Amino acid sequence: GVVKEVPKRRGYGGDIAFIDWVNFTIGEESLGVIDAAIDRDAVTDNQMCCCLSGRLTEIFGFGITAKREKGANFYTSSWVIGDDWGMVCHGGNRGTIMITLNGTGCTAAKEGWELRLKTFLETCKRARLTRIDFARDDYTGQTYSVDKADQDHTDNLFNCGGRNPDCEYRGNWKNPNGKGRTFNVGNRSNGKFCRVYEKGRQLGDKTSNWTRIEVEFKSVDKVLNFDMLLVPGEYLAGAYPAFNWINDRQERIHTTMKVVTATVDKAVEFIRHQGGVIISALVDYYGVELFLKKVCREGVAKFTKLPNHHLSPPAIHQLAS
């Protein structure tokens, strides 16, 4: 009885953008655990999650790895997916399970996960996409920028048939200071919300012109079709008239490498600023080799790890077996 909009799409390929966040829900009966049990109450959360963990591993390459202390999103219990790459929520909410895959999880997931997820959802009961974010990067800022987005809004190019949506400025627009600016269009409580921001500067590179476009779709007032998982570029290009220019290929791995590079540069700048003088004095005193032996310790800095499903901690269904 409620009218819902179906997101518009344009006839470009599916690889001109990438998915940067996805939420979906399924009925707990989709896993088959309940059907096999005589008494629904006899099925424990752990049994349910072990079964789901195996399914998620088939789809993403990683499963449920730990239980969180509290519930989330109005569910009574919640679990971590992979290396903090998402979350599973269960308990209450009419017997549904909510799965969230964040941006890092989308990067870490095994190639082809979008099609496997679509196939899985089509076989589930009460399956719904409740949020999906599409992103595109312009590494030079020459094609699109926060200033271009601002002008497009002035030119009514974010108007999709009604009134021009609200806009919001974040960061120092009067005197840009290298920390990055953001231009938001719409309201996050609605079914569609756009962010255009200076991604490189957000990561710490004060001279970077790397700009990211993100459009967040929610099922608040929209029907999110499962085929949105396969052609993100078509839906990003169709989100607003301002994005009709989007038509060339987007490489996710290139974006990932740029994130790591920018983060490493930021770490070096932090060390130089916080301890550069002391390090210089200690190197003079000990010499480089002995100094490094004294201050370095084993381990992998989290910011240097490329998100990859092979690096996920063991899933609970694997430990159980």
Side-chain angles (χ1 to χ4, degrees), residues 101-121:
L101 192 68
N102 60 33
T104 308
C106 292
T107 301
K110 185 166 57 176
E111 186 177 359
W113 67 268
E114 299 92 343
L115 177 58
R116 292 191 295 273
L117 177 56
K118 178 177 182 289
T119 302
F120 171 69
L121 292 176

Side-chain angles (χ1 to χ4, degrees), residues 27-40 43 48 90 95:
E28 57 184 17
E29 67 274 14
S30 303
L31 300 177
V33 181
I34 295 175
D35 295 339
I38 299 175
D39 182 3
R40 161 65 187 89
V43 179
M48 189 78 68
H90 178 241

Side-chain angles (χ1 to χ4, degrees), residues 172-194:
N172 194 333
W173 282 71
K174 288 187 176 182
N175 297 292
N177 53 14
K179 294 182 179 180
R181 296 172 294 163
T182 299
F183 185 75
N184 293 330
V185 178
N187 190 314
R188 287 206 71 187
S189 62
N190 296 335
K192 186 170 65 173
F193 179 71
C194 176

Side-chain angles (χ1 to χ4, degrees), residues 126-311:
R126 296 190 287 153
R128 294 175 60 232
L129 277 177
T130 58
R131 173 183 168 183
I132 187 165
D133 295 7
F134 301 131
R136 175 175 176 78
D137 290 314
D138 183 342
Y139 303 115
T140 65
Q142 294 179 354
T143 303
Y144 211 72
S145 65
V146 292
D147 295 302
K148 181 67 168 66
D150 184 21
Q151 185 60 51
D152 282 348
H153 187 272
T154 301
D155 294 340
N156 216 33
L157 293 180
F158 284 95
N159 188 334
C160 295
R163 64 179 183 84
N164 211 24
D166 293 339
C167 67
E168 179 187 26
Y169 300 92
R170 293 287 184 94
N172 194 333
W173 282 71
K174 288 187 176 182
N175 297 292
N177 53 14
K179 294 182 179 180
R181 296 172 294 163
T182 299
F183 185 75
N184 293 330
V185 178
N187 190 314
R188 287 206 71 187
S189 62
N190 296 335
K192 186 170 65 173
F193 179 71
C194 176
R195 290 178 290 268
V196 181
Y197 62 100
E198 294 173 321
K199 179 69 175 178
R201 300 189 185 198
Q202 178 206 52
L203 292 172
D205 185 347
K206 295 182 179 182
T207 63
S208 173
N209 293 319
W210 173 11
T211 301
R212 172 166 289 185
I213 300 168
E214 292 179 353
V215 175
E216 175 184 313
F217 289 97
K218 288 181 180 176
S219 59
V220 176
D221 55 7
K222 288 177 170 51
V223 176
L224 305 184
N225 297 316
F226 295 155
D227 65 353
M228 296 178 79
L229 292 163
L230 303 185
V231 283
E234 294 187 11
Y235 287 95
L236 182 62
Y240 303 96
F243 299 154
N244 286 352
W245 56 272
I246 296 177
N247 61 3
D248 60 332
R249 185 177 179 84
Q250 179 81 89
E251 291 286 354
R252 180 76 191 235
I253 186 63
H254 185 50
T255 295
T256 303
M257 291 303 298
K258 284 187 72 67
V259 169
V260 172
T261 300
T263 309
V264 168
D265 289 343
K266 186 176 181 180
V268 171
E269 175 62 22
F270 174 80
I271 293 172
R272 188 193 68 80
H273 180 73
Q274 296 293 327
V277 174
I278 296 175
I279 291 173
S280 179
L282 292 176
V283 166
D284 289 340
Y285 184 79
Y286 288 113
V288 174
E289 187 174 347
L290 182 57
F291 169 73
L292 290 176
K293 284 183 178 180
K294 284 181 172 293
V295 299
C296 292
R297 58 188 177 90
E298 292 185 359
V300 179
K302 190 171 184 179
F303 68 84
T304 64
K305 292 195 300 183
L306 287 174
N308 189 287
H309 61 93
H310 292 299
L311 302 177

Side-chain angles (χ1 to χ4, degrees), residues 34-51:
I34 295 175
D35 295 339
I38 299 175
D39 182 3
R40 161 65 187 89
D41 294 333
V43 179
T44 66
D45 278 352
N46 191 59
Q47 288 174 313
M48 189 78 68
C49 285
C50 278
C51 181

